[in-house]
Amino acid sequence: MTHSMPLRLAARAMLLGVGLFQVHATVASGQTPTGADTVFSVILVGGSVYDGSGVEPFVADVGILGDRIAAIGDLVGRRAAVRLNVTGLVVAPGFVDIHSHAVRDNADRSGLFRWPLAENYIQQGVTTAIGGPDGGSAYPIGELLARFDLIPSSINFGTFVGHGTVRRLVLGTAARAPTALELDRMRSLVDSAMQQGAFGLSTGLKYVPGAFAKTEEVVELAKVVSRYGGIHISHMRDEGLEIMASVEETIRIGEEAGVPTQITHHKVVGKDMWGASRKTLAAVDRARVRGVDVSIDQYPYAASSTGLSVLFPAWALEGTPQDLHHRLRNAETRRRILEAIVFNLEHDRGAGDPANVVVAYCEWDSTLNGKSLAQILREQQRPASLEQAAVLAVELQERGGFQGIFFAMSDEDVVRIMQHPMTMIASDGGIPEFGLGFPHPRNYGAFARVLGHYVRDESVLPLAEAIRKMTSLPASRIGLEDRGILRVGAYADVSVLDAQAVADPATFAQPHKYALGVRHVFVNGQAVLLESEVTGARPGRALRSR
């Protein structure tokens, strides 16, 4: 490989933001001067260009100038600060993760604010993460984005506003409908978030307090989002036995509010419902035929990850943890809660076996990390039955609960959902502390898994289509018209990878392993990964919808 200066010197120049990587700043405003005397920041020489649109690749050079793509074509003889020979490699837009937990809230001291280099993301080729999913977000949105302006990371970041967050600000965790005045207050909060740059409204109707909202409440808030050209994205009310009703509810919200609507991390949970993706996808297709703008995102695994409380009935979680403790002290109420947990272990997230519920991370007892409910019961010399697992779940929740992994999905549904043309790839991951606990491997490998396992090894998707699902499809969904695509004038978010080597070594047993096969990653024209090594550059930007 040939360069006009050593890679480490180039990386240092990029990190410092001076010298050769500041030439021709006019590109930052969208201008792309490409005369014969133009000195490019970087020229990627001879790669197979997958532009993100889904069309077949073509061999070309890609010239980067400032923070933009300045030229695509034959750049032989043209000058550049750095020339990288990428012959035989894939040159693609940087991947856009539309469902990310990279930032939790305005008080967050973890995620991108603690690990701004986001190595688990950039090693996969991800250049943009969109947070605020599942109904939970920072608030105010403007405060979060201003903080990101001040403390940037290696990747770009934007966010949705969470319906659950808004509801909690107005109603707390009350299990009731808002009054007219309260609904007006919620509308105002959503309106402010959209003005401050939110990309839309996320709902988490499975979780408290979103679970207590009627569809009509969400429709009214989604109408606010519609005025700003945003979208509605939902962790649906149910992904198991009531999945069809939940899909129809998600469609109804979009249809009645006049807003694009998205089923996020679409999955089918529980053995009773395996195969139901045929019906859910058919419902999406029917809605689209009649003009409803419905889309899907998905992570490529047959296991989910969330808190232990997902096994509990929503009514038991109203109020504070102390309220739950009080309910559990009542014998009749405790019996009802246990019955509901047994039902969920059998028909929902447990898929009929306590061994399917595994502790990913327990803050108050690290010795539980990586163990299933069945294993913990056996160690305590208790029967590994559904009834005893429910009792154990209550005991653990009373002590603080844990983040769990739930093996309750089928590979066939994963593949079928992935192949739908309106499905985009997302991680539903964040930035875990390296080496801590047993987090879901999607944090490290979601995008690489699609490219390696599902595209190369299983031929589930053509490579060009998989890249479209990671780039232009999610970017255009939220109005990022100059990202997720390789074209002259677009932002220079670029990933260069070896299609034969890309892989996701992270597993459920050994999750803390970075993806393999991504060689170079550029964010806003600066290298954050060179020769698969992190440069230390932090050129990521706060992205706003307005």
Side-chain angles (χ1 to χ4, degrees), residues 166-199:
V166 168
R167 196 177 212 272
R168 192 181 296 271
L169 288 170
V170 176
L171 292 172
T173 58
R176 63 174 177 83
T179 65
L181 287 176
E182 288 168 336
L183 185 57
D184 279 343
R185 175 60 178 153
M186 292 167 71
R187 288 192 189 99
S188 177
L189 291 174
V190 172
D191 189 273
S192 294
M194 295 303 296
Q195 290 189 43
Q196 292 169 15
F199 286 98

Side-chain angles (χ1 to χ4, degrees), residues 281-297:
L281 298 176
V284 168
D285 290 338
R286 288 193 300 270
R288 291 187 61 81
V289 166
R290 68 173 188 265
V292 186
D293 189 358
V294 191
S295 55
I296 300 163
D297 67 66

Side-chain angles (χ1 to χ4, degrees), residues 39-305:
V39 179
F40 294 96
S41 307
V42 179
I43 295 179
L44 303 172
V45 179
S48 295
V49 176
Y50 289 75
D51 68 6
S53 69
V55 302
E56 289 302 303
F58 53 92
V59 175
D61 305 329
V62 176
I64 297 172
L65 185 56
D67 64 354
R68 303 276 180 157
I69 303 293
I72 300 176
D74 185 353
L75 301 179
V76 171
R78 303 295 293 275
R79 293 182 297 167
V82 172
R83 298 179 67 90
L84 295 175
N85 183 352
V86 295
T87 302
L89 301 179
V90 170
V91 180
F95 304 145
V96 178
D97 188 352
I98 200 170
H99 185 131
S100 168
H101 294 272
V103 175
R104 291 181 298 184
D105 54 46
N106 283 344
D108 196 359
R109 295 295 182 270
S110 61
L112 284 175
F113 292 116
R114 184 173 179 186
W115 297 286
L117 297 184
E119 187 168 356
N120 63 314
Y121 270 125
I122 61 175
Q123 290 281 8
Q124 296 183 68
V126 174
T127 57
T128 296
I130 305 299
D134 303 326
S137 72
Y139 203 92
I141 296 299
E143 181 180 305
L144 171 67
L145 297 178
R147 183 180 173 201
F148 196 86
D149 286 333
L150 185 65
I151 311 172
S153 80
S154 67
I155 62 174
N156 305 307
F157 178 79
T159 187
F160 296 105
V161 60
H163 161 256
T165 297
V166 168
R167 196 177 212 272
R168 192 181 296 271
L169 288 170
V170 176
L171 292 172
T173 58
R176 63 174 177 83
T179 65
L181 287 176
E182 288 168 336
L183 185 57
D184 279 343
R185 175 60 178 153
M186 292 167 71
R187 288 192 189 99
S188 177
L189 291 174
V190 172
D191 189 273
S192 294
M194 295 303 296
Q195 290 189 43
Q196 292 169 15
F199 286 98
L201 177 74
S202 80
T203 51
L205 302 181
K206 178 69 174 178
Y207 300 120
V208 171
F212 302 137
K214 301 295 186 183
T215 309
E216 294 77 9
E217 173 185 316
V218 180
V219 168
E220 289 304 308
L221 299 182
K223 288 178 180 177
V224 177
V225 168
S226 179
R227 296 199 298 266
Y228 292 91
I231 77 167
H232 163 250
I233 184 168
S234 184
H235 179 135
M236 299 188 301
R237 205 174 290 273
D238 191 88
E239 296 169 317
L241 295 177
E242 300 299 322
I243 192 170
M244 286 308 301
S246 296
V247 168
E248 294 295 351
E249 180 182 36
T250 305
I251 292 169
R252 176 190 166 191
I253 291 166
E255 191 164 22
E256 294 187 7
V259 67
T261 189
Q262 182 153 313
I263 301 168
T264 200
H265 54 42
H266 189 23
K267 66 179 78 71
V268 178
V269 171
K271 287 184 178 180
D272 299 336
M273 298 303 293
W274 287 358
S277 58
R278 294 183 183 90
K279 296 181 178 180
T280 65
L281 298 176
V284 168
D285 290 338
R286 288 193 300 270
R288 291 187 61 81
V289 166
R290 68 173 188 265
V292 186
D293 189 358
V294 191
S295 55
I296 300 163
D297 67 66
Q298 174 202 45
Y299 53 81
Y301 299 86
S304 61
S305 183

Side-chain angles (χ1 to χ4, degrees), residues 17 37 104 144 149 151 191 258 335 337-338 380 405 448 538:
D37 61 343
R104 291 181 298 184
L144 171 67
D149 286 333
I151 311 172
D191 189 273
R335 181 191 65 79
I337 292 173
L338 287 170
Q380 296 178 354
I405 294 177
R538 291 164 57 177

